[in-house]
Amino acid sequence: MNINDILKKEFNLRDEQINNTIKLIDEGNTIPFIARYRKEMTGEMSDVTLRAFYDKLIYLRNLQSRKDDVIRIIEEQGKLTPEIKVNVEKANTLQEVEDIYAPYKQKKRTRATIAKERGLEQLALDLLNQNIKNINEESSKYINEEKEVNSTEDAIKGTMDIIAEIVSDDAKIRKYIRELALREGVIVTKNSKEEKSVYDMYYDYSESVRTIAPHRVLAINRGEKEDFLKVKVEINNEKVINYIINEYVNDKNLKNKEVIVSAIEDSYKRLIFPSIEREIRNTLTENAQERAISVFGKNVKSLLLQAPVKDKVVMGFDPAFRTGCKIAVVDKNGKLLDTTTVYPTEPQNKVEESKKELKALIEKYNIDIIAIGNGTASRESEKFVSDMIKEIDREVQYIIVSEAGASVYSASELANEEHPDINVSLRGAISIARRLQDPLAELVKIDPKSIGVGQYQHDLNQKKLEGVLDGVVEDSVNSVGVDLNTASYSLLEHIAGISKTIAKNIVAYREENGDFTSRAQIKKVKRLGPQAFTQCAGFMRIEGAKNPLDNTGVHPESYDICKNMLDILGYSLSDVENKNITDIDSKVEAIGMKELSNKLQVGEVTLKDIIAEIKKPGRDPREEGIKPILRTDVLKIEDIKEGMILKGTIRNVVDFGAFVDIGIKNDGLVHKSEMSKGYVKDPMTIVTVGDIVDVKVIGVDMNKKRVALSMKI
C-alpha cells in the first residue's frame, strides 16, 4: 500500500504537496500554522482540507500497521500463503483486513470449535472437497463416545457447524453480502409501543439503505434506544443463499449438496446475516454521525466567527420566571459594571418596579443594547424590554442572543476564577452580554457541545465530536488572532502551539510585568519554547506595539522580508503604524509581483499575504461579516400571517433545512425545498449560522406554535 499515492488520488494533489505536508505534520507543526504560514509548501491547502488530510494520513498509517500485524500473526500460525498476503496488502479498509483475518482469529468456544474438538474437522473438509457416496457410512467412522459423538447424526450435525463457520469466515462471501446490503438493502422500522411519540412517522416505515438521510438514521437509532421502534435490515435472502451455494457446491461435492446447502442456510441465518446487519447499521450510524459532526462543526464555526458588536455598553438579560431575571451590565471592553435581579415575569409580575430599576441602570451606565437570552421566559422578557425602551428618551435597542451553554459556563472553574465574588446565577447574564460584544472570546469558554447548534449531539461519538470541535475552535481563533494584552487564558489556549498551562503562564507574566510591548517578549514566558513561539507568534496581536508588524498577521520570520519590501516600495514601518499603505497595489503592479518576489527571495503567495496584512494592521476579519439584527419591538405568533415578508437570523442549519429567528418565541423553519428555486442537496451551501435572510411566511400552525418559511421570494 502506497500511502502517498492514495492521498494524491483522494485529495487531487501533486507529489511535492503530499511530501511537504506529511513532513510538516511529522515535524510537529500545527494545522493553523501550516495553513497560514506554509502555503508555498502545501499549495495553499485550507485548514479544512489539511485536517481531512491529517485524519486520512493517520487512518492509512493505522491500516498499514494492522496489515503488518495480521500478516505476522497468520505467519506465526504457519498458515500464511502468498494469496493471503497479497489479499491483505491489497485491502483498502480495516474491515477488509478483519474479514481476511477472521478465520485465523482466536475464537470464543463456538459450536464449530466444539465440533473440531470432537475430531470432525476432516469430515467437514472431505464433504466440501470430495463426492462422498454414502455420508452416513462415512460419518459412522467418526463415532466416538469419549468425544461425545454418539451417532452419525451427531457427526453430521457437528460437521455442518464446521462448514457453517467456514462459510461465515469467507471474506469474499462477506464482501458480496455487505455490498449487496449497502446497494439493495432496506431499513424497516415498526413501533414497539402503541403510544404516540415524536417517532410516529417511523411506526411503519421503510427506506433504502443507499438513500436514507443521515438525520433519519440518527432519529431511528434514538427511537430504538428509547424502545419506541424495532429496526431491521432486509435484503434478498434467496439471492444471497444462491450466491453462496454457487460458490461452495460444485462437481467435487455435488453428491453432498443437501448437507452443504443446509449448512449454508444455517450459516447465513445464524452467523452471517446478523453480523452483516450489525455492520450495515454501524456503517449507516458512522456515516450519519460523521455528517452530523461535520454540520455541527460548520455551525459552531459560523457562530464563533459572527461579527462582534464593539464599543457598546451592554446589559445582559438572563430571563426566568419564578427565580427572577438576572441582569449584568458590562462596559465597552466587557468589564463587569453592575448586577441585579428583577421580577417582571410570572409569578411575581413586578413589571413597574423592574422597569424603574433597569431604567436607572440604563441611565447610570449609558447602556446601548440589551442582550436577552433565548431560554425560558425569553419572549415574555422581550415583551417587557420592548415596552420599557419605548418609555426611554435615549436610543436603546435589544437583541435575542443564544444562551446555550451559559449555565455550563456559570458553574465552571473558569467562571469562578473570573468572577469569584459573583453569584453563580448572575454569571450567565455576564456571558450573554459578552457573547454579543465578542462571540469568539466568550464562546471559547464553553464546551463546544453545549453551544446548541447541532443535531443529536448527545447521540454522537463523543471522542470524534470533541476532536472535530476542538479543531473548529482552534481554526476559528487562529483565523481571527488574539490581542496578547487583553485575551483570557481560555482564548489563548486555542492559539496554535499554546497549551492551557502556557496560556495561564502568559496571563501570569502579563499580570506581573504589565502589558506586552512586543511579540518577542513572549519568549520569556515560562515553558514557551522556540517551537511554540514559531507556531503561535503570527496569531498574536499587540496593539500599539513598538514594531507595528506585531499588530498584523505577518509572522516574525518574515519581518526582514517585509521591511525590505517596504524599502523597495518607498514605505517605512511608521507608514504601517499610521495606516498609510494606500497605493501599494499600483506600486507592486509597476514592478511586477513575480519580479518583487524574486528580489525578496520569497514565494508569491507569502508575499501577497504580507501585503494584505500591512494594508490593514489590526484588522479583525469578523468585522466584514453580517451584523446582527437589533430590534426595538416584539412580534407574537398571533401577529404572523401567511404571505408576510420578514427579516430573520439563521440560528441553526440542519440536513433538512434551517431554523430562523424571526422575532417570535419559536424559530421558524425553512425546509431545504424552500431555500432556492433549484434543487438543494445541502442547506449549508445556501446559508450559515448568523446569516440575515429575508423570508416569506408560508404556513402558521397555531396548535404546535410552528411557522413554515420560504426564501423563494
Side-chain angles (χ1 to χ4, degrees):
M1 182 176 74
N2 189 311
I3 289 176
N4 285 28
D5 284 348
I6 295 170
L7 292 169
K8 182 178 178 180
K9 185 176 179 182
E10 182 165 332
F11 290 93
N12 192 27
L13 300 171
R14 301 185 306 277
D15 287 331
E16 62 267 26
Q17 287 177 280
I18 299 286
N19 294 330
N20 289 341
T21 305
I22 291 176
K23 184 172 182 287
L24 287 165
I25 288 169
D26 288 344
E27 286 173 349
N29 292 291
T30 62
I31 297 299
F33 176 79
I34 296 171
R36 179 66 179 80
Y37 296 111
R38 293 295 180 263
K39 291 180 181 178
E40 247 88 26
M41 293 181 73
T42 67
E44 297 186 80
M45 287 165 66
S46 70
D47 50 10
V48 174
T49 305
L50 279 166
R51 289 195 184 279
F53 181 97
Y54 175 83
D55 290 343
K56 188 68 175 183
L57 175 65
I58 298 303
Y59 176 84
L60 292 172
R61 284 177 169 175
N62 289 339
L63 175 60
Q64 186 60 59
S65 176
R66 183 57 179 156
K67 285 181 179 184
D68 294 341
D69 285 345
V70 165
I71 289 171
R72 176 183 53 78
I73 293 166
I74 298 174
E75 189 172 28
E76 286 171 357
Q77 294 176 10
K79 297 176 181 178
L80 185 67
T81 65
E83 183 184 8
I84 292 172
K85 188 174 182 181
V86 168
N87 287 339
V88 172
E89 288 171 345
K90 282 170 59 180
N92 293 318
T93 64
L94 283 167
Q95 182 64 64
E96 287 181 59
V97 175
E98 297 306 327
D99 281 351
I100 296 167
Y101 176 51
Y104 311 97
K105 194 175 185 179
Q106 190 172 1
K107 292 181 171 64
K108 294 177 183 176
R109 211 155 176 264
T110 64
R111 280 164 47 172
T113 57
I114 293 168
K116 287 177 183 178
E117 289 166 6
R118 291 173 178 170
L120 298 170
E121 186 170 14
Q122 190 56 52
L123 178 58
L125 295 174
D126 289 346
L127 275 171
L128 286 173
N129 298 313
Q130 297 176 23
N131 264 318
I132 296 172
K133 292 179 182 177
N134 190 324
I135 191 169
N136 287 322
E137 186 180 315
E138 190 68 25
S139 300
S140 66
K141 298 175 185 176
Y142 290 86
I143 294 174
N144 185 329
E145 290 186 6
E146 284 185 14
K147 293 186 175 181
E148 299 181 20
V149 183
N150 300 314
S151 64
T152 57
E153 287 80 6
D154 283 352
I156 291 169
K157 188 180 177 202
T159 300
M160 287 171 62
D161 286 340
I162 294 170
I163 292 172
E165 192 165 276
I166 289 170
V167 173
S168 174
D169 285 344
D170 190 324
K172 183 181 177 184
I173 296 294
R174 283 186 166 271
K175 186 176 182 182
Y176 169 80
I177 300 171
R178 187 183 298 112
E179 289 176 352
L180 180 75
L182 289 170
R183 189 173 63 249
E184 299 178 11
V186 176
I187 288 281
V188 178
T189 63
K190 302 285 183 186
N191 59 306
S192 54
K193 292 181 180 179
E194 292 300 322
E195 62 191 85
K196 285 201 161 214
S197 74
V198 293
Y199 308 106
D200 286 1
M201 72 170 282
Y202 299 112
Y203 278 4
D204 187 12
Y205 183 81
S206 65
E207 187 170 356
S208 165
V209 167
R210 188 164 46 86
T211 60
I212 189 166
H215 65 275
R216 285 200 286 277
V217 172
L218 295 176
I220 287 168
N221 287 355
R222 186 181 282 183
E224 182 181 40
K225 186 178 179 182
E226 294 177 7
D227 203 27
F228 283 98
L229 301 175
K230 290 179 180 175
V231 187
K232 61 181 179 178
V233 176
E234 290 184 354
I235 61 173
N236 188 331
N237 295 328
E238 187 179 348
K239 184 176 181 178
V240 173
I241 290 172
N242 285 337
Y243 175 83
I244 302 173
I245 290 170
N246 288 335
E247 287 293 313
Y248 276 88
V249 177
N250 49 54
D251 292 340
K252 290 181 184 177
N253 58 25
L254 199 56
K255 290 185 183 299
N256 313 320
K257 180 176 179 180
E258 188 177 340
V259 174
I260 295 171
V261 168
S262 293
I264 286 169
E265 288 174 343
D266 172 54
S267 176
Y268 177 65
K269 291 172 184 173
R270 179 171 59 87
L271 301 174
I272 303 175
F273 185 71
S275 171
I276 294 291
E277 184 177 34
R278 283 193 299 274
E279 283 182 25
I280 296 304
R281 293 286 308 279
N282 286 340
T283 297
L284 287 173
T285 299
E286 284 174 15
N287 292 340
Q289 289 199 1
E290 279 186 19
R291 171 63 185 168
I293 289 170
S294 171
V295 168
F296 199 171
K298 288 175 182 174
N299 282 339
V300 167
K301 190 167 191 175
S302 298
L303 191 61
L304 291 173
L305 295 179
Q306 281 190 111
V309 177
K310 293 186 175 180
D311 300 321
K312 301 289 182 185
V313 180
V314 179
M315 174 185 285
F317 192 114
D318 189 2
F321 287 116
R322 184 182 55 81
T323 56
C325 301
K326 309 303 183 294
I327 307 297
V329 181
V330 299
D331 71 9
K332 294 177 181 182
N333 298 313
K335 181 184 175 184
L336 182 64
L337 299 174
D338 212 334
T339 62
T340 189
T341 302
V342 293
Y343 300 87
T345 53
E346 295 180 353
Q348 286 90 339
N349 287 318
K350 296 180 179 178
V351 176
E352 293 307 317
E353 295 97 316
S354 299
K355 280 184 181 179
K356 184 178 180 181
E357 187 168 356
L358 295 191
K359 284 178 184 177
L361 288 174
I362 291 168
E363 185 66 31
K364 181 178 180 181
Y365 297 109
N366 292 318
I367 290 167
D368 301 296
I369 303 169
I370 301 172
I372 306 171
N374 67 341
T376 304
S378 172
R379 295 307 177 182
E380 290 80 1
S381 298
E382 181 185 8
K383 178 70 170 64
F384 162 75
V385 168
S386 173
D387 290 343
M388 177 185 69
I389 62 178
K390 288 173 187 172
E391 300 170 9
I392 299 172
D393 291 337
R394 63 189 301 273
E395 184 182 0
V396 180
Q397 296 170 301
Y398 74 83
I399 185 171
I400 302 295
V401 174
S402 170
E403 65 175 43
S407 58
V408 175
Y409 163 76
S410 299
S412 69
E413 181 185 340
L414 175 61
N416 192 52
E417 288 175 14
E418 290 185 332
H419 307 291
D421 303 323
I422 301 297
N423 188 282
V424 172
S425 63
L426 288 163
R427 293 173 187 166
I430 302 171
S431 179
I432 289 167
R434 285 179 176 170
R435 63 177 64 183
L436 175 67
Q437 293 179 319
D438 192 338
L440 182 61
E442 194 61 27
L443 290 172
V444 293
K445 299 175 183 177
I446 299 163
D447 180 345
K449 295 195 292 291
S450 302
I451 291 178
V453 286
Q455 235 183 322
Y456 301 102
Q457 54 257 45
H458 300 296
D459 298 342
L460 304 178
N461 181 312
Q462 295 302 299
K463 189 175 180 181
K464 280 187 180 176
L465 177 61
E466 192 174 308
V468 169
L469 295 183
D470 284 349
V472 164
V473 173
E474 185 180 39
D475 290 341
S476 300
V477 172
N478 287 283
S479 69
V480 172
V482 301
D483 187 323
L484 198 52
N485 288 323
T486 60
S488 64
Y489 80 77
S490 57
L491 187 59
L492 287 165
E493 69 177 294
H494 295 289
I495 288 293
I498 300 295
S499 65
K500 186 173 186 175
T501 300
I502 295 175
K504 287 187 172 183
N505 290 345
I506 290 172
V507 173
Y509 182 91
R510 191 173 70 201
E511 288 172 351
E512 286 175 23
N513 300 283
D515 284 356
F516 288 92
T517 56
S518 73
R519 281 172 169 165
Q521 199 178 342
I522 63 172
K523 292 178 182 177
K524 297 178 182 178
V525 171
K526 189 178 176 183
R527 298 181 69 174
L528 198 155
Q531 171 77 350
F533 177 78
T534 298
Q535 300 299 308
C536 75
F539 304 110
M540 304 291 197
R541 305 284 183 271
I542 301 173
E543 192 173 348
K546 293 176 182 175
N547 184 342
L549 296 181
D550 283 348
N551 196 33
T552 71
V554 178
H555 196 283
E557 67 185 9
S558 297
Y559 280 6
D560 287 342
I561 292 167
C562 184
K563 289 172 186 173
N564 290 339
M565 181 195 69
L566 290 169
D567 286 342
I568 291 169
L569 298 176
Y571 294 110
S572 66
L573 286 176
S574 63
D575 289 320
V576 176
E577 185 177 8
N578 298 319
K579 299 183 181 180
N580 287 335
I581 312 292
T582 50
D583 56 347
I584 190 168
D585 292 336
S586 59
K587 290 187 177 184
V588 171
E589 191 178 342
I591 297 173
M593 182 65 75
K594 189 170 185 177
E595 178 66 23
L596 186 58
S597 69
N598 288 337
K599 275 186 178 184
L600 296 167
Q601 295 185 317
V602 65
E604 287 185 46
V605 174
T606 300
L607 185 56
K608 286 176 183 175
D609 281 349
I610 291 171
I611 291 168
E613 288 297 329
I614 63 171
K615 282 162 71 174
K616 292 183 178 179
R619 179 181 72 95
D620 185 339
R622 296 173 299 165
E623 292 180 349
E624 296 167 10
I626 301 165
K627 303 295 183 190
I629 297 175
L630 300 175
R631 302 182 185 277
T632 56
D633 207 352
V634 66
L635 273 175
K636 300 187 293 292
I637 194 168
E638 290 79 11
D639 300 328
I640 305 296
K641 308 294 178 192
E642 282 192 33
M644 272 184 159
I645 306 294
L646 301 168
K647 196 173 283 291
T649 305
I650 301 292
R651 288 291 183 204
N652 198 4
V653 185
V654 291
D655 279 334
F656 52 84
F659 291 96
V660 186
D661 176 7
I662 52 172
I664 60 172
K665 185 168 186 175
N666 298 321
D667 293 337
L669 173 66
V670 180
H671 189 269
K672 65 181 184 178
S673 61
E674 291 295 332
M675 286 185 161
S676 171
K677 291 176 182 176
Y679 172 69
V680 175
K681 183 179 180 182
D682 181 359
M684 289 203 149
T685 61
I686 307 295
V687 292
T688 57
V689 169
D691 283 355
I692 308 298
V693 292
D694 290 318
V695 288
K696 182 179 182 180
V697 179
I698 57 172
V700 182
D701 185 333
M702 294 301 295
N703 293 325
K704 294 183 177 179
K705 304 295 183 184
R706 291 178 180 170
V707 177
L709 305 169
S710 174
M711 289 166 58
K712 297 191 288 191
I713 300 174

